[in-house]
Structure formats: C-alpha cells, structure tokens
Amino acid sequence: MKKSSRLGLLRDRDFGRLLAATALGQLGDRIVFLALPLVAITALHADEFQVGSLTAMTTAGSLLVGLPAGAWVERMRKRSVMIGTDLARALVLMAIPMAWWAGLLTIWWLYTVALVHGVLTVFFDVAYASYLPHLVGRGNLMEGNSKLSAVRSVTSIGGPTVAGPLVGLVGAPVTLLASSIGMAMSGLLAITIRKHERKPEPNGRPRLVREIREGLKFVVKHPSLRAIMLGDAIFNLFLVVYQTMLLVFLDREMGLQPFGIGLVLSGMGCGALLGALVATKVSGRVGQGPVIWLTSLATCPLTALMPLARTGWSVYVAAIGLAALSLGGVVRVVAQSSFQQALTPDRLLGRTSATARFVSWSGVPLGGLLGGASGSVLGATGTLWIGAAGMTLSVLPALLSPLRTTRTLPAEKYTGQPLKAGSPNP
C-alpha cells in the first residue's frame, strides 16, 4: 500500500525496526571494512600481496556460494535467514580478538575468518534484497531503498569515525568486538519485526541446478539487467583493486594515523548520505536508466585525485573525489535495485538477486589479488591509477544498452521479449 504522508514508510513500525537493524548491522560492517585490513597492516605487518589476498578472501564467498545461495534462500523465510546470519557473523568476528589475546593470531587465521564471514554475508544480502518487496510492497520500493541507503550512508560516516579512534586506543583486533556487538544487536532487533512471511511452498522435488539456471536465464536474457550486471562487475573489480591499496597508500605513503584514515573514509560516508537523500529526486529528473550511467561517468574520474595527492592537506582534498564516488554510487545502486526488484517476479527474487550478485561480484576476489600484485610491482600509487581508470570504463555496458534512454521503472513484469531502446518498460 502506498504511503501518502511526508513520513511515508517511517510510519510503518516494522520498516522502522528494519531500519534500526540495518543501522546496527551496517555500523558493524563499516568497522570491519576499516579494522580488518588494519589488523593485517599494523598488527601482523602484512605485505601488499597479503593485504590483497585478505581482500580476496573477504569476497570469495560470492564465487563459492553466490549462485546456489539464491535457490536455497528461496526455500526459507528471508527474515529467519537474516537473523541467523547476523548472529553467526557476530560469533565469527569474535574469533579475531580472542585469538589476539591468546597469542594465536596469524594471517591465515584472518583469511579463515574473512572467508567464513564473507560466505555468511552472501546469504544475508540475498535474503535482505528479497525481503524488502515483501515488507513494503512493490509500490514503495524506491522510497524503501532510498531510506535504507540513507541509513547505510550514515553508518558509513559513523563507522570509520568510531573505528579510527578505537583502533588507535585499543588496537585493530580488539576494535572488531564493536563489529561483533553491532551485528548481534542487528539480528536480535530483526526478531522483533512482526510481519512474518509465509513459509515458501515446495515446488515439487527441489532441483538446484534447474532453479539456478532459471534465475540465471531471466537475468541474462533481459538487456537492461544484463547491462547492469556487466557494469557492476567491471566497477567492482576495479573498485577492489583501488580499495586494496587505498589503506596502504594512506598509512604508508601519506603517513596518516588511524584517526586520519577514519576521517577520509567518513568523507566517503558523507557523500553516500547525500546520495541517498537525493537519489529519488535525481532519478526522477534524469530518468531511471540514464542516472545509472551518468552518475558513474560524472564521479568515477574524480578518484584520480587520490594518487595525485601529496603528504599534507592535499590528501583531504583528494578525499572529495572519494566522497563524490560514494554519492554517485548510492544514486546508481538505488536506481538499479529498485529497477531489478520491480521487474522480477516474487518467486525469482532470491535467485535473481543471487545471480546478479554472483556476476557483479565475480571479479571482486580477483580484484583483491590483482590489487595486491599490482601494489607489489607498481606500488600503491600506480595501483590507484589503474583502479580509477577501470571504474570509469564501467559506464560502457549501461551506455550501450536500453538504459541509455529508459526514464521510468518498469510498470509490469518482463515477458522475455527484448524491447526497443527508449521504451518506458525495458
């Protein structure tokens, strides 16, 4: 049912609880994003390739379980999957400070925790994306995605701002306790959501391969969804190449302390928050399709400011480029998520989400390894140049697809027949 008041979905108590759970879980996740690599860099004195390998382990779950996760999640209640994976991730993260206190922490321990945490995150993300249409209804998807993105953006500011001083005060390993607590509280809060799903009806004998193939076929055959996936795959590959050496660059070449690194990453969160606040308005003015490629074209080249920076104030000027990247990224993701959710039948939501994630994230582990290898050969600065160039090229699939001129969300489900560029229902 469409919400007509200015508060919109915020009047819905269950959506408010989902927002609060999202804030707590994302706060924990943002602390992990800063603290986990810093455990390797500062506590274990890992080299560039080991840092890149840690990034690869963090995201390898998408390759290991990315496709079957969608089919498995569709057989379960999405809310239950979200609760279970949140609580499990909280326990897994506690293993790092416990190992640190016991004197057992090694780079291989970090690799293991990163891999298990990443696999659990795949299941959480698939369930989360599939649960939103059930909770708010398809008519509220743009508003729901925008508000959730705003909350995630706020935590992108708060996470590094909290994590930076904590790392300086108690060390990176112990800081991960805050991540564990945030994810545990997120799972417990999600338990209080009153709107329950029906248990999915078994559709005959489960056939995992057939179910995976059906979800993959739906996404690949649709020209706009295919373009979104390919663009995301290119963007994510080079974003990870960039991010893998960003902390190394800030720590070792710019000489920033954890608090300064936290400020730079908080600037990215500020950009993301602004993007969430203007996403609906920008998409309405520019068009649902054009906004996907225009935001990337306008913001990705600005990431080249960072490798141009020198020790001192210029690194904070360069951080504006990262803030712009986050702003454009959130506007693009809100448009893409709403587009995909509106287009996909309920029974395929989990598989479509998992398929899109699998393809879009398939290059992420490779990006971590390439970033580490490039950092070893070219240094952190050279690797940042490569990442900035690759992210800018990610605009091409959307620019060459019907998204170039599609201005509105699809009004009805896709039938399987490709539509002409410029159609309001691609």
Side-chain angles (χ1 to χ4, degrees), residues 28-54:
D29 190 61
R30 289 296 86 194
I31 294 174
V32 171
F33 177 77
L34 176 62
L36 190 61
L38 285 179
V39 172
I41 294 169
T42 63
L44 299 179
H45 307 291
D47 60 31
E48 284 82 358
F49 186 75
Q50 287 175 321
V51 175
S53 298
L54 178 62

Side-chain angles (χ1 to χ4, degrees), residues 38-40 42-45 93-106 109-110 170-177:
L38 285 179
V39 172
T42 63
L44 299 179
H45 307 291
L93 288 173
M94 285 185 65
I96 293 178
M98 298 298 289
W100 173 255
W101 285 323
L104 300 174
L105 189 62
T106 65
W109 190 284
L110 283 188
V170 300
V174 180
T175 299
L176 288 170
L177 273 178

Side-chain angles (χ1 to χ4, degrees), residues 1 3 14 49 83 100 124 151 153 172 179 184 200 205 240 269 277 324 331 339 373 384 387 401 403 407-408 413:
M1 181 177 177
K3 304 287 180 180
D14 282 340
F49 186 75
I83 294 168
W100 173 255
F124 176 87
V151 167
S153 302
S179 300
R205 184 179 177 182
V240 173
L277 294 176
V331 173
F339 192 99
L384 293 182
S401 77
L403 291 170
R407 295 194 57 84
T408 60
K413 307 289 188 302

Side-chain angles (χ1 to χ4, degrees), residues 38-385:
L38 285 179
V39 172
I41 294 169
T42 63
L44 299 179
H45 307 291
D47 60 31
E48 284 82 358
F49 186 75
Q50 287 175 321
V51 175
S53 298
L54 178 62
T55 302
M57 287 294 179
T58 303
T59 55
S62 295
L63 287 180
L64 294 177
V65 298
L67 285 177
W72 287 330
V73 166
E74 283 183 353
R75 300 172 189 171
M76 299 176 277
R77 290 187 174 97
K78 315 304 182 293
R79 172 177 162 275
S80 299
V81 174
M82 291 161 54
I83 294 168
T85 50
D86 256 345
L87 297 178
R89 289 190 295 174
L91 289 174
V92 167
L93 288 173
M94 285 185 65
I96 293 178
M98 298 298 289
W100 173 255
W101 285 323
L104 300 174
L105 189 62
T106 65
I107 191 66
W108 291 102
W109 190 284
L110 283 188
Y111 289 162
T112 302
V113 170
L115 179 61
V116 175
H117 182 271
V119 169
L120 291 169
T121 298
V122 171
F123 283 95
F124 176 87
D125 287 348
V126 170
Y128 188 89
S130 304
Y131 183 65
L132 184 63
H134 166 78
L135 185 67
V136 305
R138 291 179 178 273
N140 296 307
L141 282 174
M142 179 63 74
E143 180 189 350
N145 280 312
S146 296
K147 284 183 166 60
L148 289 170
S149 292
V151 167
R152 288 192 290 266
S153 302
V154 169
T155 59
S156 294
I157 301 169
T161 303
V162 170
L166 271 179
V167 170
L169 183 64
V170 300
V174 180
T175 299
L176 288 170
L177 273 178
S179 300
S180 177
I181 293 170
M183 289 185 179
M185 292 178 66
S186 172
L188 294 174
L189 188 57
I191 294 175
T192 68
I193 295 176
R194 295 175 301 178
K195 187 172 183 179
H196 296 273
E197 309 159 81
R198 289 183 179 179
K199 188 174 182 180
E201 295 290 337
N203 187 17
R205 184 179 177 182
R207 296 180 182 274
L208 183 62
V209 175
R210 185 181 65 187
E211 292 172 1
I212 292 172
R213 187 186 303 120
E214 186 180 7
L216 184 62
K217 183 179 179 181
F218 178 82
V219 177
V220 171
K221 277 198 167 184
H222 191 288
S224 295
L225 294 183
R226 184 172 63 244
I228 288 172
M229 281 197 312
L230 291 177
D232 275 354
I234 297 170
F235 178 83
N236 289 333
L237 170 67
F238 287 99
L239 174 64
V240 173
V241 169
Y242 191 96
Q243 288 180 330
T244 298
M245 286 298 106
L246 178 60
L247 293 183
V248 175
F249 177 81
L250 295 174
D251 179 76
R252 295 178 180 172
E253 298 195 22
M254 295 293 102
L256 293 186
Q257 298 300 312
F259 180 73
I261 295 174
L263 283 179
V264 172
L265 298 183
S266 294
M268 296 177 68
C270 291
L273 175 60
L274 181 59
L277 294 176
V278 303
T280 302
K281 183 176 294 186
V282 172
S283 294
R285 180 165 297 183
V286 176
Q288 297 290 338
V291 77
I292 291 173
W293 59 268
L294 275 172
T295 50
S296 294
L297 188 62
T299 60
C300 287
L302 297 178
T303 56
L305 292 172
M306 187 58 71
L308 288 172
R310 297 295 179 265
T311 303
W313 60 268
S314 65
V315 70
Y316 294 105
V317 175
I320 296 173
L322 300 184
L325 179 72
S326 295
L327 187 157
V330 169
V331 173
R332 176 175 57 85
V333 167
V334 168
Q336 290 181 175
S337 299
S338 303
F339 192 99
Q340 179 178 311
Q341 291 164 341
L343 195 70
T344 307
D346 289 339
R347 67 183 186 85
L348 288 176
L349 275 170
R351 279 173 283 173
T352 300
S353 174
T355 299
R357 181 189 173 95
F358 176 81
V359 176
S360 300
W361 286 58
S362 59
V364 170
L366 177 61
L369 295 175
L370 287 177
S374 175
S376 299
V377 176
L378 302 176
T381 303
T383 303
L384 293 182
W385 279 112

Side-chain angles (χ1 to χ4, degrees), residues 386-405:
I386 294 173
M391 284 187 281
T392 302
L393 290 175
S394 69
V395 69
L396 291 177
L399 187 59
L400 299 175
S401 77
L403 291 170
R404 185 179 65 256
T405 54

